[in-house]
Amino acid sequence: MKAAIQQITEANKELFENLFNYYLYELSAYSQEDIGAEGTFEMEDISPYYRDDRLYPHFITFNDKIVGFILVTSPPYVAKEVDYSVQELFVLPKYRGTNIAKDAVMQIFQMYSGRYEVGMFKSNVKAVKFWTKLISALEIPVFVEDGSTEIQGNAVQTMGMKFTIA
């Protein structure tokens, strides 16, 4: 399966926000977040993704259907020694295990070369396995760092990877 990426814009913000809430639902297994009073996950304002030129949001498509998204940030939204960060990567369950996520990430790497950082919840074994396998296949050096963050009063273990795409 070959995926394509398409820029997320203000014109398709409702679709993006709906898909992002589903992503937060899935992520809640690792973040331990609860839903808000309206029955959805409370999310920070994600409008900068389609309004700020230093953010690179893309839908992931397959056969002209939106099947996920990949959100990339650049300075000032990244650490000092980083050019880009893959902030979020999401593929609908039906399309997982098909190389669609890998295709999308490789297209991002072709578009934006530089020093990268990718963070994930350590308990998200599938994400850890995906990124470890991908970076290993690229045969590039990677620096791995463990950390933690607090979400709604819960301490959550994290893992970060730093590497360079030339």
Side-chain angles (χ1 to χ4, degrees):
M1 292 189 166
K2 186 73 174 164
I5 57 174
Q6 130 192 356
Q7 187 172 4
I8 296 171
T9 65
E10 195 154 3
N12 47 28
K13 70 179 182 180
E14 187 174 343
L15 175 60
F16 173 51
E17 290 171 357
N18 290 340
L19 195 56
F20 197 87
N21 203 270
Y22 184 72
Y23 167 70
L24 292 176
Y25 157 74
E26 285 221 340
L27 211 56
S28 71
Y30 313 105
S31 70
Q32 302 300 303
E33 289 180 84
D34 292 313
I35 58 171
E38 295 181 15
T40 59
F41 287 90
E42 294 182 26
M43 57 184 158
E44 295 177 19
D45 179 16
I46 60 172
S47 66
Y49 274 110
Y50 46 82
R51 291 186 178 150
D52 190 327
D53 291 340
R54 299 166 295 183
L55 301 173
Y56 310 100
H58 293 87
F59 284 123
I60 301 170
T61 64
F62 177 72
N63 288 341
D64 297 321
K65 293 179 187 170
I66 292 175
V67 300
F69 58 79
I70 184 168
L71 308 178
V72 179
T73 59
S74 67
Y77 300 101
V78 296
K80 197 180 219 180
E81 68 283 354
V82 175
D83 299 313
Y84 300 101
S85 174
V86 177
Q87 287 296 121
E88 316 293 346
L89 173 61
F90 175 69
V91 174
L92 291 168
K94 174 180 177 180
Y95 298 96
R96 293 180 190 159
T98 62
N99 285 328
I100 286 176
K102 179 183 174 190
D103 288 348
V105 170
M106 294 307 292
Q107 288 175 56
I108 291 295
F109 287 170
Q110 288 175 348
M111 292 171 70
Y112 313 111
S113 60
R115 299 167 299 171
Y116 272 82
E117 180 175 49
V118 175
M120 64 210 83
F121 294 118
K122 206 169 186 179
S123 59
N124 187 345
V125 176
K126 289 181 182 180
V128 172
K129 183 178 178 183
F130 171 81
W131 284 106
T132 301
K133 183 178 177 182
L134 178 65
I135 301 305
S136 177
L138 294 174
E139 297 181 349
I140 55 176
V142 61
F143 174 74
V144 178
E145 184 176 49
D146 291 333
S148 68
T149 189
E150 187 173 313
I151 301 173
Q152 292 183 346
N154 298 310
V156 181
Q157 299 302 306
T158 60
M159 177 179 160
M161 301 175 118
K162 290 183 181 177
F163 52 91
T164 299
I165 298 296

